[in-house]
Amino acid sequence: MALPQVLSQRLRLPLIASPLFIISTPELVIAQCKAGIVGSFPALNARPKEELANWLQRITDALAVHDRAHPERPSAPFAVNQIVHRSNDRLQHDLEVCARFKVPIVITSLGARPEVNDAIHAYGGIVLHDVIDNAFARKAIEKGADGLIAVAAGAGGHAGTQSPFALVQEIRQWFDGPLVLSGAIASGRSILAARAMGADLAYMGSAFIATEEANAAAAYKQMIVDSAARDVVHTSLFTGVHGNYLRPSIVAAGLDPDNLAGGDPSSMNVGSGRMKPKAWKDVWGCGQGIGAIDRVVPAAVLVDRLAAEYDAALGQMLGRQAIAT
């Protein structure tokens, strides 16, 4: 199946910058899109809910100005993440705002609901749904999602536990639509590897925490730079759903990262943030790919590095193929 135009045109790299709770703001999204990759943010980052329309106006206006000034390299599209968990009492409002602005890509998480997909399709948008295993993938497509984001082991946030090899190959046995892979991707070489594995695009989040535009504390950004895969802890304590978090931030919150109790999924409230310590705010999330991040840079500089690494890795693969034949 051919990719929708919104995912195949105007992209410098086959890459979606994942929506980062608290961290992704219009400044980061605009920088990502101008650099040629899909930028995204969670709708819940815009608070109060009335601010969502202002954010979308800022993003669309800024990208329109860029496109007029640079017709030879127009901006990439952007995406909004909607949490469809029943605890999100903003969902209907946020969907209506996205429809008003005709948001081209909507990423849905924590549940798959046909009425949500229908609302997005009604104005011409596409839906990519987060999944952590093949069973959830089937349900998402059956309920009307256009594509899938396979959240494999090593991803930041609410990560899965399956190898990306296992997850992608199971999904590709029956689904030939848009497939995005998430899980410890932080270099151009790993973007290429995701495509070689069978994904259409890669999904990258943690590397963008350590950018100048990211709405993250300076200490958080530096912790990303200073840490590696061994410093990532997988636990359900903080939200009731398993996620990956930085060990030093858990220690700083007064907890023992080697002795964490399990969380209760029924207690999760994605909109209130009443958990103590608060996930994402006090205990910082990230994926296992952070060992590739060595400094804080503007988002455009990071994308430049990724593009150079991607092209170099592709050249090496093609060179090896030529020698083999």
Side-chain angles (χ1 to χ4, degrees):
M1 177 185 293
L3 278 178
Q5 288 188 356
V6 71
L7 294 176
S8 60
Q9 298 181 357
R10 300 174 68 154
L11 293 184
R12 181 182 181 188
L13 281 170
L15 179 64
I16 296 175
S18 61
L20 303 167
F21 188 54
I22 300 175
I23 293 166
S24 297
T25 60
E27 289 73 22
L28 181 57
V29 173
I30 291 166
Q32 291 164 337
C33 294
K34 285 182 178 180
I37 66 170
V38 177
S40 72
F41 71 94
L44 291 174
N45 278 10
R47 301 189 184 204
K49 64 183 181 181
E50 290 76 17
E51 188 67 13
L52 179 59
N54 295 332
W55 280 30
L56 290 175
Q57 192 69 62
R58 286 167 61 190
I59 291 169
T60 54
D61 287 350
L63 297 183
V65 169
H66 171 86
D67 292 350
R68 287 194 295 270
H70 303 282
E72 78 287 357
R73 51 179 180 89
S75 59
F78 68 94
V80 173
N81 176 219
Q82 298 284 5
I83 302 298
V84 300
H85 191 272
R86 297 292 178 179
S87 65
N88 182 9
D89 58 8
R90 282 182 44 169
L91 180 60
Q92 186 59 41
H93 168 273
D94 292 350
L95 282 174
E96 290 172 0
V97 176
C98 285
R100 191 191 323 159
F101 283 87
K102 299 187 184 305
V103 171
I105 304 165
V106 174
I107 298 166
T108 53
S109 306
L110 299 179
R113 292 164 57 180
E115 68 273 20
V116 172
N117 297 331
D118 291 345
I120 297 159
H121 292 154
Y123 68 80
I126 69 165
V127 180
L128 302 177
H129 187 70
D130 281 348
V131 298
I132 59 170
D133 65 30
N134 194 38
F136 284 126
R138 287 185 179 275
K139 289 179 182 178
I141 297 303
E142 289 169 0
K143 292 182 178 181
D146 301 287
L148 301 166
I149 300 172
V151 185
H158 291 132
T161 59
Q162 293 184 1
S163 161
F165 291 96
L167 187 52
V168 169
Q169 69 188 9
E170 288 187 4
I171 292 172
R172 277 303 189 214
Q173 286 177 344
W174 61 272
F175 181 64
D176 65 352
L179 179 59
V180 187
L181 179 62
S182 172
I185 296 174
S187 70
R189 186 179 294 275
S190 56
I191 296 171
L192 182 61
R195 298 198 71 191
M197 201 182 302
D200 296 297
L201 300 99
Y203 202 60
M204 182 184 298
S206 299
F208 286 99
I209 299 172
T211 59
E212 293 179 0
E213 296 88 351
N215 182 38
Y220 188 179
K221 297 180 183 184
Q222 192 59 45
M223 194 177 291
I224 292 285
V225 171
D226 294 340
S227 300
R230 66 179 179 275
D231 300 305
V232 178
V233 177
H234 191 65
T235 178
S236 64
L237 172 63
F238 303 109
T239 67
V241 178
H242 273 91
N244 283 324
Y245 304 90
L246 281 164
R247 176 179 290 267
S249 72
I250 297 173
V251 173
L255 300 173
D256 180 356
D258 296 317
N259 291 283
L260 298 175
D264 178 8
S266 66
S267 68
M268 183 177 64
N269 189 324
V270 296
S272 72
R274 294 184 182 130
M275 304 290 293
K276 296 291 185 178
K278 294 179 182 177
W280 326 125
K281 182 176 184 297
D282 303 314
V283 177
W284 295 332
C286 77
Q288 293 178 359
I290 55 175
I293 304 164
D294 60 4
R295 65 188 188 277
V296 177
V297 297
V301 172
L302 173 58
V303 175
D304 285 345
R305 172 175 72 80
L306 296 172
E309 292 171 347
Y310 183 91
D311 290 343
L314 181 59
Q316 289 174 356
M317 287 185 64
L318 294 175
R320 289 170 184 157
Q321 183 180 16
I323 292 172
T325 56

